[in-house]
Amino acid sequence: MILAIETSCDDTCAAVVTEGGEIRSNVIASQGLLHARYGGVVPEIASRRHLELVDAVTADALERARVRLDDLTTVGVTRGPGLIGALLVGLSSAKALAASRRLPLVPVDHLHGHVVASTLAPEPIEPPYLCLVASGGHTFLARVDDPAAYTVLGQTLDDAAGEAFDKGARLLGLGYPGGPALDGLARKGNPEAFDFPRSAPGELDFSFSGLKTSLLYRVREHPDADRADLAASYQRAIVGALVDRIRTALDREGLERLAVGGGVAANSELRAAVERLGVPVWVPPVELCTDNAAMIAGAARFLEPLPYPEYLDLDAAARLG
Ligand code: KG4
Ligand code: ZN
């Protein structure tokens, strides 16, 4: 029985997962509204809020799973990448819990968590598979042959896909986070109404900052344009870039299974587009796509734990090198 804690950004998360990947509890205290008025996550506010919430969220995860600290075998925790102050709250808390019961601790790479989210029960994906992770902070394609590791095949060179959605939404006068609002507006528009630059075919890296700039110009050039048409065309360009690269990677790597994770996996057009690729696709429920601790426990299952007291001087890392 693994307890995991995740505090890399603006969600305070704790979960209990069995060695077999069964989720016993998955508690997420979202700070979204707290940061909304600033139009983005404020790191210092996030850290303080994690500090206020982490004990209650952890107690809640244990209670919902109907387990006590004594029933745990391992504690997992996100070590990075993320906001350093936010990570430190989760890491310190996990260390203290593990040390209090002399339990082993597994430090987890947050991105590894996203990559293996689809390996959790009830319908775990089997390697080898291709995984697209597209969130507000990250966008990359990875190859997974063994769930203990992953190989990055391509990644964004500038903005993340979720960031492109959020910035686009802001330019169209929608709220933060803008992804869901843009998705909704796009359904009422014509995706062929405006042309957006398409990135070079055959690439596995992504670039979204040019797209955002061209939306800015379209909005300026056509102040009376239908916002729904702009949203639909812009979304088509982002989803097109994601799906083109998925197709290239599946082909090049000879992979026949696809997992999608990260908050952008909630996008309706992306979901529909990956279903048309002709390979079996795993898109976990949204609470396993966005930041959560069940995926961190999920990754911890495959990793070597550090015995007590070896982890006591372990440090969080904003970037994992
Ligand atoms: O994984 P996540 O919750 O947070 C991290 O960034 O770690 O992802 C949030 C991102 C935001 O950028 C949000 O706008 C985007 O996912 N998002 C969406 C949709 N729902 C959330 N983007 C497009 N369409 C959606 N329906
Ligand atoms: Zn994430």
Side-chain angles (χ1 to χ4, degrees):
M1 202 75 81
I2 305 169
L3 167 75
I5 297 178
E6 145 68 42
T7 60
S8 65
C9 189
D10 62 340
D11 294 316
T12 316
C13 316
V16 175
V17 172
T18 67
E19 288 290 341
E22 188 199 329
I23 302 170
R24 290 295 181 84
S25 65
N26 186 26
V27 180
I28 302 167
S30 172
Q31 303 182 9
L33 291 175
L34 190 63
H35 300 276
R37 77 177 104 147
Y38 304 103
V41 176
V42 185
E44 188 55 30
I45 294 178
S47 317
R48 288 178 197 209
R49 193 75 181 131
H50 284 307
L51 207 51
E52 288 165 6
L53 290 173
V54 71
D55 286 347
V57 166
T58 305
D60 198 18
L62 291 169
E63 197 178 307
R64 284 176 197 230
R66 299 180 180 280
V67 297
R68 292 162 308 143
L69 277 179
D70 292 320
D71 301 322
L72 300 174
T73 50
T74 315
V75 177
V77 64
T78 305
R79 183 173 162 244
L83 303 171
I84 192 70
L87 288 162
L88 278 168
V89 175
L91 181 65
S92 311
S93 180
K95 278 188 203 174
L97 276 172
S100 74
R101 293 295 190 279
R102 306 291 190 262
L103 289 171
L105 185 91
V106 185
V108 177
D109 162 10
H110 176 82
L111 304 178
H112 189 198
H114 278 301
V115 167
V116 299
S118 293
T119 66
L120 290 163
E123 285 178 65
I125 192 171
E126 290 287 333
Y129 64 89
L130 179 73
C131 183
L132 169 75
V133 176
S135 73
H138 309 280
T139 297
F140 64 97
L141 278 168
R143 178 186 175 106
V144 182
D145 291 292
D146 169 340
Y150 64 97
T151 310
V152 175
L153 303 172
Q155 60 195 312
T156 183
L157 304 172
D158 40 59
D159 292 347
E163 214 175 339
F165 272 105
D166 294 337
K167 289 178 176 173
R170 192 182 306 176
L171 289 171
L172 294 172
L174 306 167
Y176 165 88
L182 202 149
D183 190 356
L185 182 60
R187 268 173 238 179
K188 299 179 208 132
N190 171 12
E192 312 282 338
F194 292 91
D195 259 344
F196 281 96
R198 288 299 284 259
S199 35
E203 295 281 325
L204 290 182
D205 285 331
F206 303 88
S207 168
F208 293 107
S209 70
L211 213 52
K212 172 194 66 196
T213 311
S214 47
L215 177 62
L216 175 67
Y217 289 137
R218 299 285 185 288
V219 171
R220 278 194 193 149
E221 285 159 15
H222 309 277
D224 301 321
D226 184 348
R227 302 260 134 170
D229 285 348
L230 281 166
S233 306
Y234 182 70
Q235 172 169 287
R236 173 64 52 92
I238 298 175
V239 171
L242 296 171
V243 175
D244 278 352
R245 281 156 183 72
I246 291 174
R247 206 180 279 118
T248 304
L250 285 170
D251 210 42
R252 197 176 288 178
E253 297 288 316
L255 292 168
E256 288 168 350
R257 279 188 281 264
L258 173 69
V260 183
V264 178
N267 184 263
S268 59
E269 187 169 344
L270 177 62
R271 280 176 173 253
V274 293
E275 291 298 343
R276 290 193 297 266
L277 283 167
V279 294
V281 181
W282 277 253
V283 188
V286 70
E287 65 276 14
L288 294 178
C289 285
T290 57
D291 288 349
N292 67 86
M295 71 180 190
I296 300 304
R301 290 185 296 151
F302 305 117
L303 301 170
E304 198 58 50
L306 296 170
Y308 174 84
E310 270 178 32
Y311 49 80
L312 288 178
D313 56 0
L314 190 73
D315 228 336
R319 288 165 192 278
L320 296 179

